Amino acid sequence: MTESDHAADETTDAGLIADWLGGDERAATALVTRHANPLARFVASQGFRGDVQEMVQDTFVRAFGSLESFRGDSAFRTWLFTIARRLILDARRAERRRRDEQTVEENDAVSEYNALDGLIANESEQKMRDAIARLSPTQREVFRLRVSDGLSYKEIAEVAETSEGAARVHYHNALRIVKESLYV
């Protein structure tokens, strides 16, 4: 491999992974810099209510801890999204367990929207929220991965652990429901 081939290889995720596994800690920094913001958008789009940056950090810790097992069958970003999705599901399960163990007092109730939110939200934002709320959990996830994160159907299928065809169907059904809701 020539020096110019190596320099070009370093700009790819695969090249950075190889460099990191070879001991170059700057490669890990480059991978985090490249993928942290899209990963944070993904975590937020999943409705994660915790600290998004902490979840992103946990995702990278988990990814770097098992990087030797990354086969490269999918894009590195897709693999990160899959790890994040699993961590979010784990966090939700843990939260449900904690809630089940706690007693709820009458004064503990919190409304989903406060009066200020109602004043600020315009009619189209409310319609969009209502339309997205009508989607099934799978449709909502696929819709957000496609619209917010710009993932391909293949990448969506990997993240959502479904087939590419099913991802397309879920997206198009979600889009139809959203359009119908917005134009009623």
Side-chain angles (χ1 to χ4, degrees):
M1 178 182 290
T2 67
E3 190 171 304
S4 64
D5 289 340
H6 186 67
D9 190 39
E10 284 183 348
T11 62
T12 67
D13 287 342
L16 290 169
I17 290 168
D19 289 348
W20 187 81
L21 290 173
D24 183 358
E25 292 186 19
R26 293 173 299 166
T29 302
L31 286 167
V32 170
T33 301
R34 181 177 290 173
H35 297 290
N37 287 335
L39 188 57
R41 284 191 303 272
F42 170 74
V43 169
S45 77
Q46 296 301 299
F48 182 66
R49 296 177 189 256
D51 185 342
V52 171
Q53 292 305 319
E54 185 175 323
M55 181 59 70
V56 168
Q57 183 178 15
D58 290 348
T59 301
F60 279 112
V61 167
R62 178 81 50 98
F64 286 124
S66 59
L67 203 51
E68 296 83 14
S69 68
F70 177 64
R71 297 183 315 258
D73 295 340
S74 63
F76 182 66
R77 181 174 292 180
T78 303
W79 189 59
L80 288 172
F81 281 19
T82 302
I83 293 169
R85 181 176 181 267
R86 289 180 181 149
L87 289 172
I88 290 167
L89 291 173
D90 289 346
R92 287 181 180 151
R93 279 187 217 107
E95 178 61 30
R96 264 187 247 119
R97 280 193 302 274
R98 277 193 299 274
R99 269 188 275 144
D100 290 346
E101 294 171 359
Q102 295 175 346
T103 59
V104 178
E105 300 293 326
E106 188 173 329
N107 295 334
D108 291 341
V110 178
S111 65
E112 188 170 335
Y113 300 102
N114 63 31
L116 181 60
D117 291 331
L119 293 172
I120 294 173
N122 64 33
E123 185 176 325
S124 63
E125 288 173 325
Q126 186 61 47
K127 279 186 174 184
M128 182 58 105
R129 276 196 295 270
D130 292 345
I132 291 173
R134 289 182 53 207
L135 301 176
S136 72
T138 303
Q139 288 172 334
R140 191 171 21 256
E141 178 180 26
V142 168
F143 184 77
R144 286 183 173 147
L145 286 169
R146 183 78 175 155
V147 173
S148 299
D149 300 312
L151 295 184
S152 70
Y153 292 113
K154 181 180 180 187
E155 292 170 321
I156 291 169
E158 291 175 22
V159 171
E161 297 176 337
T162 187
S163 69
E164 188 173 341
R168 286 179 187 276
V169 169
H170 287 302
Y171 174 73
H172 288 289
N173 286 338
L175 191 58
R176 179 184 46 79
I177 291 168
V178 169
K179 283 181 179 179
E180 287 173 0
S181 298
L182 293 177
Y183 298 111
V184 170

